[in-house]
Amino acid sequence: MKKPRKSYGRRFIFPSFFFIISLCILASFNEFRYDNFLQFGLCAFTLQKAPNMSVLENLLSTNSPPNYDIKILVGILTLPDQYQKRHFLRLIYGTQSPSGAKVDVKFVFCNRTKEDQRTLVALEIMRYDDIIILNCPENMNNGKTYTYFSSLPELFNSSSNHQPYDYVMKADDDIYIRLDNLVESLRPLPKEDLYYGFVIPCNSMDPFVHYMSGMAYLVSWDIVEWIRRSDVPRNHRQGPEDKVMGEWLRAGGRGRNRHNAKWSMYNYPDPNSGCSHDFWPDTIAVHLLKNQEKWIKTLGYFNVTQNLKPSKMYHIP
Ligand SMILES: *[C@@H]1O[C@H](CO)[C@@H](O)[C@H](O)[C@H]1NC(C)=O
Ligand SMILES: *[C@@H]1O[C@H](CO)[C@@H](O)[C@H](O)[C@H]1NC(C)=O
Ligand SMILES: *[C@@H]1O[C@H](CO)[C@@H](O)[C@H](O)[C@H]1NC(C)=O
Ligand SMILES: *[C@@H]1O[C@H](CO)[C@@H](O)[C@H](O)[C@H]1NC(C)=O
């Protein structure tokens, strides 16, 4: 009996084998990055199983740099010693992946001052690479926000002409931000000269009067660059940081586009602070989560852990 089928199969498999190998190598040369190593591994894995063209197509499409409509830097201002809080917030933001958007969450603080911080924070940086240490002594209303915003153009300076982020947020470490909802609320808004947040005072709905609460506010990248170059912020750094930000923009004639995200952003319902609101589905952020019970209630309301994938590894009803 002849065996034409088998030899035909071999003749087909070997050229395609080399074709795929070269694609894999090309893919990993394209840019020498960690995720490309992963892809190379994936390539090799795919090869072992079968030269499956639809798998290959997937690989090729994931290799091109992802095209994000919106890029946001979220800087959470905190203190070097808040290790537990950072651990918790990494869980909170590491389990969210807003679609079509790049959201980088970084922890921001001033110079480390204690010996143990040098070691512990260095370990965090080695593991997570999500910390920005500003060149300032630790302070709340004494220019930390100025140092944060004005440092960014240099920190994220790159040879390409692309601006690194469309928007930069300053957030407290006691706020829960639902990144998908944040991104969706930004989609219709301008990417220039934007000042976004929860307008103060509590009962005001006019974003052009006063300023956005320090719970979490956001400005477009052009405003970040303006903060770096202008004398207006440089000469006025003292005072409540959120109020001072509003004063810079007014004095500089900036933030002509404004968005009041109230009541999608609000303080935790209890106790009612005036800036509070009941939980509701259309929520971007809940602020003043001052203890674990408030975090748990908030995460519970938004069904954050409801879709845990089933596994025999854990016994959860
Ligand atoms: C190729 O892979 C896709 C999904 O990755 C699968 O649906 C399809 O059945 C595979 N085809 C073959 C011939 O194995
Ligand atoms: C912060 O630390 C750096 C390096 O140790 C030092 O050069 C700088 O003067 C410090 N800045 C402040 C404001 O303490
Ligand atoms: C960014 O880098 C370029 C080239 O090295 C330099 O000319 C420019 O001043 C830098 N910008 C900032 C904000 O640091
Ligand atoms: C959470 O899940 C419950 C039950 O599935 C559902 O009724 C409720 O609308 C969900 N809540 C939110 C905020 O999505």
Side-chain angles (χ1 to χ4, degrees):
M1 237 176 70
K2 284 185 282 179
K3 302 181 283 184
R5 295 255 162 249
K6 198 170 179 185
S7 60
Y8 173 82
R10 270 174 197 249
R11 241 180 294 139
F12 173 74
I13 284 179
F14 276 106
S16 57
F17 178 84
F18 286 114
F19 173 67
I20 295 169
I21 280 277
S22 11
L23 280 175
C24 289
I25 291 173
L26 264 180
S28 64
F29 274 140
N30 182 18
E31 229 184 325
F32 220 63
R33 289 187 333 198
Y34 174 68
D35 48 16
N36 281 315
F37 273 117
L38 276 182
Q39 284 182 4
F40 191 80
L42 209 65
C43 268
F45 178 72
T46 314
L47 276 174
Q48 271 193 341
K49 295 196 83 170
N52 179 331
M53 283 304 158
S54 73
V55 170
L56 196 62
E57 276 162 21
N58 279 340
L59 270 177
L60 289 177
S61 67
T62 54
N63 186 50
S64 54
N67 236 335
Y68 298 117
D69 317 332
I70 295 190
K71 290 176 290 180
I72 311 171
L73 174 67
V74 176
I76 301 177
L77 270 58
T78 180
L79 297 170
D81 280 339
Q82 296 283 355
Y83 301 103
Q84 291 303 326
K85 195 163 268 179
R86 284 197 292 281
H87 169 70
F88 181 69
L89 292 173
R90 282 186 185 111
L91 292 177
I92 293 294
Y93 294 110
T95 49
Q96 302 187 52
S97 45
S99 53
K102 175 179 146 97
V103 182
D104 290 343
V105 176
K106 306 263 185 201
F107 299 100
V108 181
F109 43 81
C110 293
N111 265 1
R112 295 167 293 175
T113 51
K114 301 187 216 154
E115 204 48 47
D116 60 345
Q117 289 170 355
R118 283 180 212 287
T119 304
L120 295 173
V121 172
L123 280 172
E124 282 183 79
I125 291 172
M126 290 162 73
R127 175 64 183 84
Y128 301 108
D129 198 16
D130 60 358
I131 287 178
I132 297 177
I133 305 176
L134 301 170
N135 185 2
C136 52
E138 203 49 70
N139 68 84
M140 176 72 174
N141 289 324
N142 202 7
K144 184 174 176 180
T145 293
Y146 173 77
T147 311
Y148 167 55
F149 282 105
S150 64
S151 301
L152 295 176
E154 196 186 334
L155 292 181
F156 292 96
N157 198 358
S158 75
S159 45
S160 78
N161 287 326
H162 299 296
Q163 58 187 33
Y165 294 102
D166 300 306
Y167 305 110
V168 175
M169 177 172 263
K170 177 258 140 179
D172 281 346
D173 60 9
D174 60 352
I175 190 167
Y176 169 55
I177 305 170
R178 301 173 78 214
L179 298 180
D180 245 325
N181 294 45
L182 171 68
V183 167
E184 288 315 310
S185 75
L186 286 167
R187 280 191 200 284
L189 301 179
K191 286 188 175 165
E192 287 85 40
D193 212 13
L194 179 74
Y195 183 31
Y196 168 116
F198 176 100
V199 70
I200 291 290
C202 293
N203 57 8
S204 163
M205 292 304 272
D206 184 352
F208 290 90
V209 181
H210 300 299
Y211 59 94
M212 305 300 183
S213 155
M215 62 169 80
Y217 57 80
L218 171 147
V219 294
S220 50
W221 184 258
D222 56 318
I223 291 187
V224 175
E225 290 184 325
W226 174 78
I227 293 173
R228 178 185 177 78
R229 31 167 224 276
S230 169
D231 286 335
V232 173
R234 194 176 298 125
N235 297 331
H236 174 32
R237 306 186 200 176
Q238 308 289 321
E241 59 94 16
D242 46 3
K243 182 160 177 281
V244 164
M245 166 66 87
E247 286 163 2
W248 296 340
L249 297 182
R250 179 164 318 102
R254 302 281 154 162
R256 272 163 299 154
N257 299 309
R258 299 198 177 198
H259 180 78
N260 175 23
K262 196 184 287 180
W263 289 99
S264 291
M265 295 170 74
Y266 48 89
N267 283 346
Y268 188 82
D270 178 46
N272 190 335
S273 60
C275 289
S276 303
H277 191 286
D278 284 338
F279 287 140
W280 63 311
D282 185 17
T283 294
I284 293 168
V286 185
H287 179 230
L288 283 188
L289 301 177
K290 289 286 184 203
N291 58 40
Q292 175 152 310
E293 187 200 337
K294 291 182 177 180
W295 273 101
I296 300 296
K297 285 205 169 129
T298 305
L299 299 174
Y301 175 81
F302 294 109
N303 296 326
V304 170
T305 58
Q306 205 178 51
N307 292 322
L308 189 64
K309 72 174 166 34
S311 165
K312 60 185 178 192
M313 291 292 172
Y314 33 75
H315 295 277
I316 292 180

